Amino acid sequence: MTSCIQTNHLYYAYDEKDTLQDINITMEEKNGCILLAGTNGSGKSTLLNVLCGFLIPYRGTLERTMPIAYLPFESPLFPQLTVKENLRYFYRCYNGEDISFKMDAVMEVLNALHIDYLEQRLMKCSSGQKQKVAIAIILLSKAPIIFMDEPFVAIDAQSSAAAIDLIKQQSKERLFVITSHTLE
């Protein structure tokens, strides 16, 4: 089986202090869910950013052979656009095609997360509403591997449970890597 992400003796530092030290990871083309749990400041987000190629390690090697969809802690959504426009834009970015809001897969995600405010501008949404849109976008991508950095922080328990159910369902077909500062 071909690996999709592999690191070998990887190091990364902010300023002079190593945040990541001697990281050796192999994530293969299989399905499931990996939870990276640790305290705030332990390097979880840094690791995801290095694995995505946003941060460059100063030592070691990193090999990626498959595309990654990434939901960073700080949302990349466009506040001046509506929820629908954000969904349309990112769906096209991730999947190379237009979104159909009548597709079963799209409706399943939107209904599960109670996203019924499609015409609302993102700047008028609550933090939780914005985060649910971001989660919907990443779940609608067709990437074989998905990184999610602290995705449940701003959303209510019911929405978290719905998102977790969707992730469990989708993890039968692709790999999820999720960070959290709590095991709950």
Side-chain angles (χ1 to χ4, degrees):
M1 191 175 278
T2 306
S3 67
C4 62
I5 298 176
Q6 186 167 9
T7 68
N8 196 6
H9 303 292
L10 190 130
Y11 287 78
Y12 182 82
Y14 292 106
D15 299 320
E16 308 230 347
K17 185 177 185 316
D18 282 338
T19 303
L20 304 177
Q21 300 176 6
D22 200 23
I23 303 295
N24 297 289
I25 295 174
T26 300
M27 293 180 191
E28 297 184 333
E29 297 176 37
K30 56 185 170 184
N31 309 322
C33 189
I34 298 170
L35 175 65
L36 298 175
T39 60
N40 292 330
S42 63
K44 302 177 303 293
S45 299
T46 299
L47 177 60
L48 293 187
N49 281 297
V50 168
L51 294 176
C52 286
F54 298 126
L55 300 175
I56 307 301
Y58 74 86
R59 187 165 66 200
T61 60
L62 167 63
E63 179 184 342
R64 281 184 315 277
T65 58
M66 293 183 75
I68 299 167
Y70 179 41
L71 175 59
F73 179 72
E74 292 187 23
S75 174
L77 303 179
F78 296 103
Q80 70 277 16
L81 298 180
T82 66
V83 169
K84 189 179 218 176
E85 290 167 336
N86 270 283
L87 286 162
R88 182 174 285 127
Y89 173 81
F90 283 100
Y91 191 88
R92 182 172 261 299
C93 288
Y94 278 124
N95 302 321
E97 61 189 39
D98 289 330
I99 190 172
S100 168
F101 290 95
K102 295 179 182 180
M103 285 176 35
D104 289 342
V106 172
M107 291 307 300
E108 178 185 14
V109 170
L110 296 179
N111 288 336
L113 295 172
H114 302 287
I115 298 174
D116 56 1
Y117 44 95
L118 293 174
E119 300 303 327
Q120 189 169 323
R121 294 221 179 269
L122 205 71
M123 67 179 72
K124 300 287 185 177
C125 291
S126 71
S127 297
Q129 287 175 315
K130 291 174 189 174
Q131 188 64 12
K132 290 193 300 183
V133 172
I135 290 170
I137 286 168
I138 208 76
L139 292 177
L140 291 171
S141 79
K142 295 177 183 172
I145 185 166
I146 293 179
F147 289 169
M148 300 173 83
D149 191 7
E150 300 277 356
F152 309 114
V153 170
I155 61 175
D156 59 85
Q158 181 182 8
S159 297
S160 291
I164 290 168
D165 286 343
L166 289 167
I167 291 167
K168 284 180 184 177
Q169 180 183 345
Q170 290 190 13
S171 70
K172 296 173 185 170
E173 299 172 8
R174 54 190 171 166
L175 179 63
F176 284 82
V177 179
I178 300 171
T179 68
S180 178
H181 63 276
T182 64
L183 290 176
E184 291 116 23

